[in-house]
């Protein structure tokens, strides 16, 4: 199976522009950006509840604590929310309706209290990427893009491993993409 496409900043802008033309734009932007700007897996996005992300005063938390049953490796981890993502999440929360703080943060069209399954959310992402014309992108593209962008900015792989919630650096390394231009530039340093 081919790896998910790593997106450029222009690709992400294209995705967000497409999402803005669709129904549920604020919700879909917030979900997509949780993968691109915080590195969440699609299943982790699907199981977020209001109380995980939003304080009782209606403010976005600085950190999201993912419990073991919310993660692929069944290891709790902390997800840090940057200022841009916090603003996107706040915009979503401002227009969404919290019925119960233990309900899913992202309600599906079918059920406010059940939300998305990881599979249905992956299908939603596939439709959004296809609609934006981003061939090769999948629900894993955001996570791969997040880790690659940080690596390209010089963030050490052991930090990336922790942010991704991986047990092994070799798992993290498999996420990172090196473009032909980066490889050519590296060789020029020799």
């Amino acid at each position: 199976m081919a790896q998910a496409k790593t997106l450029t900043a222009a690709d992400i802008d294209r995705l967000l522009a497409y999402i803005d033309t669709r129904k549920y734009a604020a919700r879909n932007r917030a979900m997509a950006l949780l993968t691109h700007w915080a590195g969440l897996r699609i299943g982790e996005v699907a199981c977020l509840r209001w109380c995980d992300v939003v304080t009782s005063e209606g403010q976005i938390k600085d950190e999201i604590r993912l419990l073991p049953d919310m993660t692929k490796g069944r290891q709790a981890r902390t997800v840090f929310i940057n200022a841009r993502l916090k603003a996107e999440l706040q915009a979503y929360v401002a227009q969404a309706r919290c019925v119960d703080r233990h309900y899913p943060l992202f309600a599906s069209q079918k059920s406010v209290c059940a939300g998305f399954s990881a599979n249905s959310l992956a299908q939603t992402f596939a439709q959004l990427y296809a609609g934006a014309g981003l061939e090769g992108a999948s629900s894993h593209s955001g996570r791969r893009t997040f880790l690659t962008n940080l690596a390209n900015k010089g963030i050490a792989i052991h930090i990336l491993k922790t942010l991704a919630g991986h047990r092994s650096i070799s798992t993290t390394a498999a996420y990172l993409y090196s473009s032909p231009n980066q490889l050519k530039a590296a060789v020029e340093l020799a």
Side-chain angles (χ1 to χ4, degrees):
M1 187 166 112
Q3 283 192 326
K5 178 179 181 170
T6 301
L7 303 183
T8 65
D11 290 336
I12 295 170
D13 289 344
R14 185 172 166 181
L15 171 66
L16 296 177
Y18 175 73
I19 288 173
D20 287 344
T21 69
R22 313 298 303 160
K23 196 172 182 181
Y24 311 112
R27 179 198 70 188
N28 292 344
R29 281 180 68 95
M31 291 189 304
L33 292 173
L34 277 163
T35 69
H36 284 277
W37 291 351
L40 268 72
R41 293 177 180 95
I42 206 72
E44 294 166 346
V45 173
C47 68
L48 288 175
R49 300 165 300 161
W50 281 86
C51 60
D52 297 324
V53 179
V54 184
T55 67
S56 56
E57 293 81 33
Q59 298 304 305
I60 302 302
K61 295 179 179 181
D62 294 328
E63 302 172 3
I64 298 171
R65 182 79 177 142
L66 296 178
L67 302 174
D69 64 336
M70 299 167 82
T71 67
K72 181 179 177 183
R74 301 201 53 81
Q75 280 191 297
R77 84 172 195 273
T78 300
V79 175
F80 298 91
I81 305 302
N82 67 35
R84 292 184 307 162
L85 182 54
K86 189 178 267 196
E88 290 283 347
L89 291 170
Q90 198 67 59
Y92 166 67
V93 165
Q95 60 83 53
R97 186 171 153 249
C98 176
V99 177
D100 183 301
R101 288 187 42 77
H102 288 84
Y103 279 9
L105 180 63
F106 301 111
S108 70
Q109 293 86 301
K110 292 182 181 179
S111 174
V112 170
C113 61
F116 288 91
S117 68
N119 186 49
S120 65
L121 192 51
Q123 291 173 16
T124 298
F125 271 57
Q127 292 169 348
L128 294 172
Y129 285 128
L134 297 171
E135 190 174 320
S138 74
S139 60
H140 221 57
S141 289
R143 186 168 165 79
R144 189 158 188 247
T145 299
F146 171 74
L147 292 170
T148 296
N149 286 342
L150 290 177
N152 290 343
K153 291 175 180 170
I155 302 301
I157 197 160
H158 71 279
I159 303 267
L160 298 175
K161 174 185 140 320
T162 301
L163 290 173
H166 291 151
R167 291 184 183 164
S168 165
I169 283 177
S170 62
T171 303
T172 306
Y175 275 75
L176 308 180
Y177 170 73
S178 300
S179 72
N181 288 340
Q182 290 172 309
L183 297 173
K184 287 176 190 174
V187 170
E188 289 301 323
L189 296 174

